[in-house]
Amino acid sequence: MTATLALPGTFGLGLARGGAELRQFFRNKEQVVFTFSLPAVLMILLGSILDGPTGQPGVSAGQLLAAGMIGSGIVSTSFNSVGIGMAADREMGALKRLHGTPMPPASYFIGKMIMVAVTSVAQTVLMAAVAMLLFGLQLPSDPVKWLTLVWVLLLGIVSCTLLGISISSLTRTATGTVAVVQLVYLVLQFISGVFVTPITHLPKIMVDIASFFPLKWICQGFRSVFLPADAATQEMAGSWELPMVALVLVAWCVAGLVLARLTFRWTNEKP
């Protein structure tokens, strides 16, 4: 009798795909440099320009900006990179070739999340180190804050990666996707209190709109980790609202999964 080898399960295929995604990412030196340098350079430039006292003694505008931009960097490595990268892969036919393999969409999604998780952790470490050197940001000493860092990071990665997968199908060209993704990301950075600190300086209507999307809550979660408890007075609600942060991000994980599964396609060809 001839023995038949069972194919790996969905998760096993996802792990294998994650390894391939990481190798592909780190072989592209230009992409690596751009992905890691842009958020850090923006933080250095804006932090140096806008740094100054705030309404909270002991917390500078540079520290508020840096803590928020660490969270914003996670969105850059997930939503932006995944959305643009997938659109380019689809346009070049790379996804069509993958469609000819036994890999289901779920495994492909897992592979993307593994790649984003590794790059997001590296991005967080890099930006935190820069913020500590230039703006006096301090690492948390409370284990509860480290736990908050982990769950905000994980929920941010999952939700924004799935949304990146979804938005990659919005246009039929990589150029169109770049324009849409960058516009959405730039607008959300302004109205979510990333570039304008503290967030209370923004019109309430802008913050209300931003509150529907993950970026505002990811940045708020990161500020709760890196800033002292009294800095919560700089938030619109006067507190970190961590239960709401978790609720919104979990909701976007669910919504993102539904959207990704409904919109994902291997090719740009019309059915």
Side-chain angles (χ1 to χ4, degrees):
M1 294 179 63
T2 302
T4 57
L5 296 176
L7 289 173
T10 299
F11 187 71
L13 288 171
L15 290 176
R17 182 61 200 171
E21 291 279 352
L22 285 170
R23 289 191 295 273
Q24 180 180 347
F25 174 81
F26 284 107
R27 284 171 182 166
N28 189 335
K29 300 298 189 295
E30 293 83 1
Q31 183 182 8
V32 171
V33 171
F34 182 80
T35 299
F36 290 121
S37 65
L38 181 59
V41 169
L42 280 176
M43 182 176 68
I44 293 170
L45 292 175
L46 292 174
S48 300
I49 294 170
L50 303 175
D51 198 13
T54 65
Q56 178 60 47
V59 179
S60 68
Q63 291 172 334
L64 280 173
L65 175 79
M69 286 206 69
I70 293 173
S72 180
I74 305 308
V75 180
S76 176
T77 58
S78 53
F79 177 73
N80 288 27
S81 296
V82 170
I84 294 170
M86 281 187 59
D89 287 346
R90 187 181 292 112
E91 189 173 41
M92 292 186 299
L95 292 188
K96 185 176 182 179
R97 291 191 293 273
L98 281 176
H99 189 35
T101 70
M103 184 176 62
S107 297
Y108 183 72
F109 296 172
I110 292 171
K112 284 292 184 185
M113 287 181 192
I114 290 173
M115 184 271 289
V116 169
V118 172
T119 55
S120 293
V121 170
Q123 180 78 274
T124 300
V125 171
L126 172 64
M127 295 190 69
V130 172
M132 289 168 64
L133 289 172
L134 298 183
F135 306 114
L137 200 70
Q138 295 185 354
L139 290 178
S141 57
D142 185 352
V144 175
K145 286 195 171 187
W146 281 106
L147 180 60
T148 300
L149 173 64
V150 171
W151 67 255
V152 172
L153 180 64
L154 288 177
L155 291 178
I157 288 171
V158 173
S159 60
C160 293
T161 300
L162 291 170
L163 290 174
I165 293 172
S166 302
I167 205 168
S168 73
S169 300
L170 195 60
T171 68
R172 292 190 174 274
T173 66
T175 303
T177 301
V178 170
V180 172
V181 168
Q182 296 292 8
L183 177 62
V184 171
Y185 182 53
L186 182 62
V187 170
L188 285 178
Q189 282 182 301
F190 275 102
I191 69 175
S192 299
V194 178
F195 293 153
V196 180
T197 57
I199 195 172
T200 50
H201 288 173
L202 287 167
K204 185 176 182 299
I205 182 63
M206 288 188 179
V207 181
D208 289 342
I209 295 172
S211 298
F212 284 102
F213 301 98
L215 179 58
K216 186 258 187 188
W217 301 102
I218 293 172
C219 294
Q220 189 165 310
F222 272 84
R223 286 194 292 268
S224 78
V225 169
F226 289 105
L227 300 178
D230 291 343
T233 58
Q234 303 294 310
E235 301 297 328
M236 295 297 289
S239 68
W240 298 125
E241 298 181 284
L242 290 180
M244 182 61 73
V245 172
L247 179 62
V248 173
L249 293 182
V250 168
W252 273 111
C253 287
V254 175
L257 180 60
V258 173
L259 288 172
R261 195 64 190 92
L262 290 176
T263 61
F264 177 74
R265 61 179 189 269
W266 296 103
T267 70
N268 280 330
E269 299 171 1
K270 294 182 180 179

